[in-house]
Amino acid sequence: MGPSVEFTCVLLTVFTLTKNLLVSGGCSGKCCHGRDLDCFTTDWRMDRVYTTCYCDQDCVKTKDCCFDYFTECPAQNCKVSEWSFWSGCAVPCTPSLRMRVREVERQPSHSGAPCPSLEQRSGCRDYRDHWGRHCGHKSGPAFITSMEFGKARPKHDHYGNPLNTGFCMEFRVESRTSQCTLGNQPHTRWMGYIAEGFIVCVACEPPAMPHYSSSCQGDGQESDKDTVLHWQAAVNHQCSGTWRKIQKTQQCNCPPQHSFVFI
């Protein structure tokens, strides 16, 4: 075998080895969940050492990931559906509890954030009884819940007619009961943000504001600014207090933790 033939064979061998390394190296198509000792290849590690490297989630902790791990295996946070339907209120015509169970749209991967609790509960109030009759607009304290739980409320009445767009009332909290800070469930933590001396925003919108009215129960529109008004948290009747009206605005501009909604 002549020198030229031997040289050609060497080149082909080097080319073949290089091609195999390029095809098999790195994390492309090899990303694995959790700790997987079989999820490895031979390539450059992130510490610039050419040796065995891994493409499983635990390689971040053990610091032996392949150089392209974060490019090929980006972290994916859990994603849950926000379009799940809420149940009806447990008791019509009075503040009670509703719930929904969300679905997982995407499981977390590669050290992404885990899924939150899929079951959610919140305060609510139905404005019609079991026979479809309107409960009426009774006087009394303002019943409120977190703005977060009021986002998905319908903007039409039971006949499909569009309802008023609503407004916002700003109050300065005068007092609150100690029971507001005792709840540790996801649907009760918002009550702890109602603190004396703070300014809070409360949205008055459908269905708390029926189509035949331009106010919500307890919003204090007809009261002057010196009047002490009463409020009560939905679901927890022991969380209540007083506040004074500051002003009526078109939209609520308070921070999310100090933004609430009439129910």
Side-chain angles (χ1 to χ4, degrees):
M1 184 180 295
S4 61
V5 175
E6 292 179 358
F7 181 72
T8 302
C9 290
V10 171
L11 285 178
L12 287 173
T13 302
V14 171
F15 174 78
T16 302
L17 290 173
T18 305
K19 183 179 179 181
N20 289 337
L21 283 172
L22 290 174
V23 171
S24 62
C27 289
S28 179
K30 301 183 181 70
C31 302
C32 306
H33 296 285
R35 181 170 179 78
D36 189 345
L37 296 179
D38 294 325
C39 189
F40 69 91
T41 185
T42 301
D43 208 326
W44 293 98
R45 288 196 324 207
M46 298 181 71
D47 57 4
R48 300 182 182 179
V49 176
Y50 189 84
T51 182
T52 299
C53 58
Y54 291 83
C55 300
D56 61 346
Q57 288 176 288
D58 267 23
C59 76
V60 178
K61 300 177 183 177
T62 54
K63 302 186 184 303
D64 52 7
C65 301
C66 295
F67 72 97
D68 61 348
Y69 175 80
F70 289 105
T71 302
E72 298 296 333
C73 310
Q76 293 281 350
N77 296 333
C78 175
K79 183 179 181 182
V80 297
S81 172
E82 295 296 339
W83 295 101
S84 303
F85 291 103
W86 288 95
S87 68
C89 294
V91 183
C93 297
T94 188
S96 55
L97 195 67
R98 64 176 179 171
M99 67 172 291
R100 69 173 178 173
V101 178
R102 297 176 293 176
E103 296 181 353
V104 176
E105 294 184 352
R106 182 183 65 216
Q107 291 285 353
S109 62
H110 309 118
S111 302
C115 294
S117 173
L118 299 181
E119 182 179 296
Q120 281 189 317
R121 298 171 183 266
S122 78
C124 68
R125 185 181 186 185
D126 278 338
Y127 291 86
R128 291 182 181 274
D129 60 22
H130 293 302
W131 296 273
R133 298 173 301 196
H134 201 281
C135 301
H137 197 65
K138 301 177 181 178
S139 60
F143 291 102
I144 62 172
T145 190
S146 169
M147 180 77 76
E148 175 187 358
F149 298 127
K151 292 178 180 177
R153 302 191 309 169
K155 304 301 179 184
H156 295 76
D157 63 17
H158 286 255
Y159 302 101
N161 301 314
L163 299 174
N164 300 329
T165 56
F167 57 88
C168 183
M169 295 296 295
E170 291 184 6
F171 300 95
R172 184 182 302 278
V173 179
E174 296 289 319
S175 66
R176 70 162 186 185
T177 56
S178 59
Q179 285 80 0
C180 295
T181 61
L182 299 181
N184 196 34
Q185 298 297 318
H187 67 285
T188 61
R189 291 183 188 136
W190 63 271
M191 302 175 191
Y193 292 107
I194 309 177
E196 295 177 7
F198 276 74
I199 294 176
V200 298
C201 295
V202 189
C204 178
E205 57 186 27
M209 180 177 63
H211 66 279
Y212 57 80
S213 175
S214 60
S215 66
C216 290
Q217 178 175 314
D219 61 19
Q221 281 201 77
E222 305 301 324
S223 306
D224 58 44
K225 294 184 178 181
D226 293 326
T227 303
V228 175
L229 304 168
H230 293 265
W231 58 268
Q232 180 178 314
V235 182
N236 183 4
H237 68 278
Q238 293 182 319
C239 176
S240 60
T242 59
W243 55 26
R244 295 180 191 269
K245 180 178 66 176
I246 296 177
Q247 63 178 341
K248 175 182 176 181
T249 60
Q250 192 64 37
Q251 294 181 331
C252 291
N253 297 310
C254 295
Q257 63 269 29
H258 294 143
S259 297
F260 308 101
V261 63
F262 291 102
I263 66 168

